[in-house]
Amino acid sequence: MSALRGAPGKAVVVFGGGHGMSVNLRALRHLTNDLTAIVTVADDGGSSGRLRQEFGIIPPGDLRMALAALCDDDPTGRAWADVLQSRFGGDGPLAGHAIGNLLIAGLWQQLGDPVAGLDMVGQLLGARGRVLPMAAVPLQIEADVLGVDADAPDETTVLRGQATVASTSGEVCAVRLIPHDPPTRPECLTAIEAADWAVLGPGSWFTSVIPHLLVPELAAALTGASCRRLLTLNLSPEGETRGLSPSRHVEMLAEHAPELRLDVVLADVRASEGDQHLESYVASLGARLVLADIAARDGSPRHDALRLASAYAEVMSL
C-alpha cells in the first residue's frame, strides 16, 4: 500500500462524520492526494455542543476528527493528530474541550470564514486533503422514533438533537434537518463536480451518513454529478441502527434519497452473511455489490483502514 502514497490518484469526495469518516480518510489518503471530506455539522454534544451554544458556530468536532485523520503517519503527523484530539482535564471551564476544537473555533473568530480556518489548520498539519463543512450553518437533526415510550411501543416520538437520536433505544423511522433547506458552501459543490468518485459511509447512518442527502443543494449535486458513487456499509448495527440488517441500511438510505443512484456498494463479507435481500436491494439502486474482508483484525466492529484502502483501490482501479 505504501507504494501508492504521494500519487495524485483520482479525485475523491467523502461524505460523513465521526469515526466512520476518519477510517475512510485514513484509507483513501493512501490512494490519492486529491481528497475532499464533506463533514456533517449537526453535533450538539460534548465540547462541540458547548462551543456551538456559546459562540453560535458550526460544531467543530467532526471537522477536527477529519483533519486529524488526514495527518501523515510519520512522527510529526501523528504528533499533530494527537494534539488535535487531546482534551483538557480537570474540572474547570476548559475541562473536556478538545484542543483542536478550540484551535478551529479561534481561527474562525480571527478569520471570519469557516473554510479559510479549516484550510489554515490543514496547511499547519500538512493534511493530505481538504475538509469542508456540509452546510454553512449549524444543523439540528430531528427523528421519528418508534418504541421510545415503553407504555406505547407502537407510537412515534419526535426526538431532536444528534446526541439524542444517536443514543436512542427506539427504532428510527425517518430523519430531517432543521433548517430543512440549509445553505451549503460553494466549495462543496465544486468538489463534487470535479470528483471521479463520491464515497458515502460507513458511519452513524441517521446522524452522519443520511444527513448529507437531506441538504437539497448537496443531494442535487451528488445525484446529477458525473462521478461514480460508492456506498460503504457498516460492520454491525449499533445505537441508532440497532437491529437493522445491511439490506435495511440500504433501504433506509434509498427512502431518504429516492433520486440517488449508486455504482458500487461495498460490504464486509462476514457482516453481510445470511442477508438474503442485500444483493437485490443494491441492484435496485443501480449498483453492484462488492464483498471484501474489510474488518479490523481484532474482531471489533471497526473497519481496518489498510484493508479498506485495498478494497477501494480494487473498486476504483487505482
Side-chain angles (χ1 to χ4, degrees):
M1 195 61 61
S2 60
L4 295 170
R5 296 191 68 96
K10 290 181 168 64
V12 181
V13 59
V14 185
F15 301 84
H19 296 289
M21 168 70 86
S22 293
V23 73
N24 250 347
L25 296 178
R26 285 188 284 113
L28 287 164
R29 64 182 168 81
H30 288 283
L31 308 181
T32 180
N33 287 334
D34 194 347
L35 185 58
T36 303
I38 298 179
V39 183
T40 182
V41 288
D43 192 6
D44 58 358
S47 171
S48 284
R50 291 160 61 190
L51 291 169
R52 171 179 177 165
Q53 183 175 9
E54 183 171 352
F55 297 107
I57 58 175
I58 58 177
D62 285 329
L63 298 159
R64 179 201 81 241
M65 291 179 66
L67 284 164
L70 288 172
C71 288
D72 215 334
D73 284 326
D74 61 19
T76 300
R78 287 300 91 204
W80 270 117
D82 289 343
V83 168
L84 279 185
Q85 298 285 60
S86 62
R87 295 179 183 271
F88 288 95
D91 54 8
L94 291 180
H97 274 303
I99 291 176
N101 285 356
L102 298 182
L103 172 63
I104 293 169
L107 284 172
W108 287 348
Q109 179 175 283
Q110 181 72 17
L111 300 176
D113 180 4
V115 170
L118 293 168
D119 285 344
M120 180 174 286
V121 177
Q123 292 168 10
L124 176 67
L125 304 175
R128 288 179 170 269
R130 193 181 194 191
V131 174
L132 300 172
M134 77 174 189
V137 296
L139 303 176
Q140 193 168 48
I141 291 176
E142 185 178 81
D144 298 330
V145 184
L146 279 174
V148 173
D149 186 349
D151 295 326
D154 296 327
E155 291 187 6
T156 298
T157 301
V158 176
L159 299 182
R160 185 173 291 183
Q162 182 182 41
T164 300
V165 174
S167 60
T168 183
S169 59
E171 177 187 347
V172 180
C173 303
V175 291
R176 297 172 293 278
L177 293 179
I178 301 172
H180 300 297
D181 188 7
T184 191
R185 293 286 306 213
E187 296 89 348
C188 294
L189 305 180
T190 300
I192 295 170
E193 184 179 358
D196 296 299
W197 282 89
V199 180
L200 285 159
S204 299
W205 219 242
F206 295 109
T207 56
S208 290
V209 179
I210 289 177
H212 291 77
L213 304 174
L214 304 179
V215 177
E217 286 182 292
L218 280 186
L222 183 58
T223 300
S226 60
C227 66
R228 304 191 73 190
R229 289 164 281 268
L230 186 155
L231 174 68
T232 301
L233 294 178
N234 293 341
L235 295 175
S236 66
E238 294 182 330
E240 64 195 47
T241 55
R242 188 180 294 106
L244 294 191
S245 65
S247 58
R248 183 59 177 152
H249 278 72
V250 174
E251 187 177 33
M252 291 300 294
L253 184 126
E255 288 177 4
H256 284 83
E259 302 299 320
L260 181 66
R261 291 296 175 263
L262 301 171
D263 294 281
V264 177
V265 173
L266 176 64
D268 180 72
V269 64
R270 283 184 291 276
S272 57
E273 281 180 343
D275 191 330
Q276 300 177 352
H277 302 292
L278 181 57
E279 191 164 5
S280 63
Y281 282 23
V282 167
S284 72
L285 293 178
R288 64 185 176 97
L289 176 64
V290 174
L291 300 178
D293 183 7
I294 51 178
R297 291 167 175 79
D298 61 7
S300 64
R302 297 179 299 109
H303 291 82
D304 180 273
L306 291 180
R307 288 182 172 185
L308 195 57
S310 180
Y312 284 153
E314 184 171 346
V315 167
M316 297 178 184
S317 299
L318 289 170

